[in-house]
Amino acid sequence: MTPSGPLGRRSVLAGLAGVAGAGALTLAGRAAADDADTDPYEALLARAEQQLTGGAFDTEDPDFAAALTALDTQAAAWWQQLDTSAGRTALWPDLSPASDPGMFGQSYPRLRTLATAWATPGTSLTGDAAVLAGLVDALRLLHSAGYNETRSESGNWWFWEIGAPRALLDTCVLLRAHLPADDLAAYLRTVARFVPDADRRTNSPSLAETGANRADKAVIVALRGLLARDAATLALARDGLSDVRGGGKNSLFQYVTSGDGFSTDGSFVQHDCVAYTGTYGSILLGSAGQLIALLAGSDWAVTDPAVTVLHEAVERSFSPVLFDGVMMDAVRGRAISRERARDHTDGAMAVSYILQLADGAPQSYADRWRAAAKGWILRNKETPYAGLVGVPALARAKAVLDDPSVRPADWLTGHVVFADMDRVVHRRRSWAYALSLSSRRISAYEAGNGENLHGWYTGDGMTYLYDGDDLDAFGDGFWPTVDPYRLPGTTVDTRARTDLGTGGGTSTFRPKNAVAGGAVLDGQYGAAAMELVADGSTLRAKKAWFCLDNAVVALGADITASDGRTVETVVENRNLHADGAPRLVIDGHRQPSGPGWSASLPDARWAHLEGTGGYVFPARGPLRALREERTGTWRALNSGADTGGSTTPVTRRYATLWFDHGVSPAGASYAYVLLPGASAATTAVWSLSRPVRIVANDATVQAIESPRLGLLAAHFWAAGTAGGLRTDGPGTVLVRRQGQRVTVAVADPGRTATSLTVHLPFPVRRVLRADDTVTVAPGRRPVLTVRVGGSRGHTHTAELA
């Protein structure tokens, strides 16, 4: 395999995807190989087993060492700790009693890991008769004490309908040649009781399953059908993906305009209002892709032509939010609080699911996906892919990495507005910038079941700067140690907050603002805005961002509050890791490098943080700066039953820059420019030459102009004028003039208007191209009339001359 860094670093078992190449057969596979030639169910069960173990691979290949070691280490530890005593009420002391859904819900995945190690060549448990006997006995204990068809659901429904049955059936697939028939029948009856189909929530039959939950259940139903050798159940599983019984209303292969699923703009929403591409979206991709691969070529193959929605999602939904294989936290929801599911881990899973889907996708898609995956894997040296995935995913990646005909794709560049989930991503070579917004349509955060306890401001305009030279900025202990009141990009009331999501179930908070989103021009430049209506505070603010070639301009206006507390806008709060001491230079003067330094800088013009980039302050202060060392625990963020973090202290250093707007500000404002990757000298020159001019920053309009690009960009909060550009109402407008060619982009991120009239500041003779929603009246004072109503905040464009 092409080297991608140390194979053993931060190994994580994550092996639910993939079929490997040639080599030794797995143990269960040898037992069933003869039957597979004549029994269609056994042939698919053998395929399901390969998806769990990686199938045939060379156990002596050093490329698999980290994955095998991770599997063996974890499985051996759980095997040693397994309680086999008479009268036991649980399998492990930390998961007692087994009658509790949270306890059996976590016990089954451990048994699956043990079974996987038993069935996979090259582990210390491979083929061990004692392990096999112990697994059979352990399954009986969990069935009798916890998960059986006589019980009614209690606690978290997910353990009953997805978590436990999925792990149970995976284990049964691996042990199928050795399970007593009566045992298997009892387990299948139990699963049928709680997961009869993929269509409905068993504990709430009026609730239709959607998105990732439907995909997970379809896999469960398929595995049940295979183990029961029931053709009708297999058809039910396949049809569940397309929601055949529901007339396609909740099909996974359709675009949605609201609620759960993929949108045409690449957004993915789950739980009705949460931006969730990086977790639930990835799970959908993985489970649907697994089922497609599992049933391929059989009488139950997935043949819905609308499966192209899933194919299009790879480049439309996932590629923009994967940076060198790291999944952006802006689309991971409450998963940011999970110690064992960092951005690198979720990114690796998404890459593995994309490669899984490529195996059965049309060649034109598969070739591009494999090239993209190769680029992601090779560029991520900080947390190599080989240390994050299990044998199945590693085998598939190895085939791509070893194939010289697959050329690694370069960095993705461009600007993407995910209007249907209030997210914006701006990408350039070696860096990316993500905006996490919220509105009355999309939640500011999701919390619950003990997860994401400090997620208060993650959707209030938080900004994420991803740098190819520091891929660990948000994955290396960021969430347990960052000051949750000072997240980059946010404007906050400094009031004390209480923990979110401490009770059962999950909940979201949708603020009352309408405006969140923006417009994209030529696929490369963008403007975005958000009206901040703070939770539990009188704080209001108008925030805008303008994304250019090598800079992001952030403006804030009309910042007002009356609660008697200080209001701040955070420019940066950069993770410097455990012992980082990069140079911080402000106006040419190097500042102290150790934790504990702070300063008030009322007249600062620019700052530069080594390894991150430059910051320019066109309106100067009142700027504050701080270097600090912060200690926290993952447990303080997540006390979930199966995702709770450790109480081990984590310490990281931070460099923080913020504007202090004072107590109860009235009409305060701010302006700063981020120059990712710029040197101190470049930053200093930029602050003097001002290649981007702030045209307006008030309650009516926020606008900038870049003469070099010929670009004028504005967000109008009401009818107004900026730089000669005029509108008759609120909206986002970008205009670029290059020689005789003029391009225009318009959007209504507030979704409140039916049409927007835009007056351009220079003459236009003719229309080269325009969306059917755009009417142009050329002339010395050209006018565009844009039908924005019903467009859900998406961009309308025209090309003029």
Side-chain angles (χ1 to χ4, degrees), residues 348-581:
M349 288 300 93
V351 173
S352 73
Y353 296 149
I354 289 169
L355 289 176
Q356 173 182 254
L357 192 65
D359 284 347
Q363 193 70 34
S364 58
Y365 287 112
D367 287 348
R368 296 198 304 270
W369 301 348
R370 291 184 177 117
K374 192 167 188 174
W376 293 328
I377 293 170
L378 291 177
R379 285 194 296 271
N380 190 340
K381 301 296 197 297
E382 299 207 21
T383 309
Y385 184 81
L388 294 171
V389 299
V391 171
L394 185 57
R396 183 172 283 110
K398 179 176 166 61
V400 171
L401 293 169
D402 288 347
D403 185 349
S405 70
V406 179
R407 297 174 60 87
D410 203 349
W411 279 292
L412 179 68
T413 62
H415 187 88
V416 183
V417 177
F418 295 106
D420 288 327
M421 65 176 184
D422 290 356
R423 295 294 186 270
V424 177
V425 174
H426 187 66
R427 301 183 62 127
R428 290 296 183 263
R429 284 187 57 85
S430 79
W431 64 270
Y433 187 79
L435 277 173
S436 180
L437 312 177
S438 57
S439 66
R440 59 195 184 195
R441 301 171 299 272
I442 295 296
S443 67
Y445 57 77
E446 182 184 60
N449 293 320
E451 294 192 300
N452 203 23
L453 304 181
H454 296 167
W456 310 299
Y457 301 113
T458 50
D460 282 5
M462 183 178 177
T463 58
Y464 298 82
L465 175 61
Y466 290 90
D467 181 350
D469 293 328
D470 182 13
L471 295 177
D472 253 351
F474 301 101
D476 177 30
F478 176 81
W479 291 107
T481 57
V482 71
D483 185 340
Y485 297 93
R486 285 182 177 157
L487 300 180
T490 60
T491 298
V492 298
D493 177 335
T494 53
R495 72 188 182 98
R497 302 292 297 266
T498 57
D499 285 355
L500 303 167
T502 55
T506 59
S507 62
T508 60
F509 168 71
R510 277 186 275 188
K512 296 178 181 179
N513 59 292
V515 176
V520 56
L521 180 70
D522 298 336
Q524 292 296 318
Y525 308 105
M530 176 181 167
E531 178 188 9
L532 177 66
V533 178
D535 179 20
S537 168
T538 62
L539 174 61
R540 303 291 184 269
K542 293 179 169 64
K543 299 170 69 70
W545 298 263
F546 301 91
C547 300
L548 310 176
D549 277 334
N550 58 4
V552 178
V553 182
L555 302 180
D558 200 22
I559 302 169
T560 303
S562 58
D563 302 292
R565 293 183 293 266
T566 299
V567 172
E568 301 175 347
T569 294
V570 185
V571 175
E572 183 61 277
N573 201 353
R574 199 68 178 171
N575 182 1
L576 307 180
H577 308 293
D579 54 3

Side-chain angles (χ1 to χ4, degrees), residues 57 69 81 227 372 412 414 430 645 650:
F57 67 94
T69 297
Q81 297 162 12
L227 288 163
L412 179 68
S430 79
V650 179

Side-chain angles (χ1 to χ4, degrees), residues 193-470:
R193 155 84 168 82
F194 295 106
V195 198
D197 54 55
D199 300 329
R200 296 282 167 180
R201 186 73 50 83
T202 301
N203 77 340
S204 182
S206 63
L207 181 62
E209 293 292 10
T210 59
N213 293 334
R214 174 176 284 269
D216 276 341
K217 284 193 169 185
V219 173
I220 293 166
V221 174
L223 294 177
R224 177 166 64 85
L226 288 174
L227 288 163
R229 287 167 162 72
D230 186 330
T233 301
L234 280 168
L236 190 66
R238 175 201 61 207
D239 294 346
L241 296 177
S242 303
D243 191 21
V244 171
R245 295 205 305 172
K249 181 179 179 181
N250 295 294
S251 171
L252 302 182
F253 308 141
Q254 66 173 338
Y255 290 115
V256 301
T257 57
S258 63
D260 294 358
F262 292 105
S263 301
T264 54
D265 72 352
S267 298
F268 180 84
V269 167
Q270 187 88 27
H271 293 172
D272 191 53
C273 62
V274 186
Y276 252 137
T277 313
T279 45
Y280 283 97
S282 184
I283 290 167
L284 188 161
L285 187 73
S287 291
Q290 179 187 358
L291 189 52
I292 291 168
L294 177 62
L295 301 180
S298 74
D299 292 341
W300 308 280
V302 176
T303 58
D304 187 340
V307 73
T308 54
V309 169
L310 206 61
H311 296 154
E312 291 292 331
V314 171
E315 291 168 314
R316 189 175 291 180
S317 302
F318 291 95
S319 291
V321 297
L322 279 166
F323 185 77
D324 288 354
V326 174
M327 181 60 73
M328 293 183 178
D329 278 348
V331 292
R332 296 206 306 126
R334 69 183 192 277
I336 60 172
S337 68
R338 296 173 183 168
E339 183 176 9
R340 296 179 295 280
R342 300 185 308 129
D343 52 3
H344 287 267
T345 311
D346 279 352
M349 288 300 93
V351 173
S352 73
Y353 296 149
I354 289 169
L355 289 176
Q356 173 182 254
L357 192 65
D359 284 347
Q363 193 70 34
S364 58
Y365 287 112
D367 287 348
R368 296 198 304 270
W369 301 348
R370 291 184 177 117
K374 192 167 188 174
W376 293 328
I377 293 170
L378 291 177
R379 285 194 296 271
N380 190 340
K381 301 296 197 297
E382 299 207 21
T383 309
Y385 184 81
L388 294 171
V389 299
V391 171
L394 185 57
R396 183 172 283 110
K398 179 176 166 61
V400 171
L401 293 169
D402 288 347
D403 185 349
S405 70
V406 179
R407 297 174 60 87
D410 203 349
W411 279 292
L412 179 68
T413 62
H415 187 88
V416 183
V417 177
F418 295 106
D420 288 327
M421 65 176 184
D422 290 356
R423 295 294 186 270
V424 177
V425 174
H426 187 66
R427 301 183 62 127
R428 290 296 183 263
R429 284 187 57 85
S430 79
W431 64 270
Y433 187 79
L435 277 173
S436 180
L437 312 177
S438 57
S439 66
R440 59 195 184 195
R441 301 171 299 272
I442 295 296
S443 67
Y445 57 77
E446 182 184 60
N449 293 320
E451 294 192 300
N452 203 23
L453 304 181
H454 296 167
W456 310 299
Y457 301 113
T458 50
D460 282 5
M462 183 178 177
T463 58
Y464 298 82
L465 175 61
Y466 290 90
D467 181 350
D469 293 328
D470 182 13

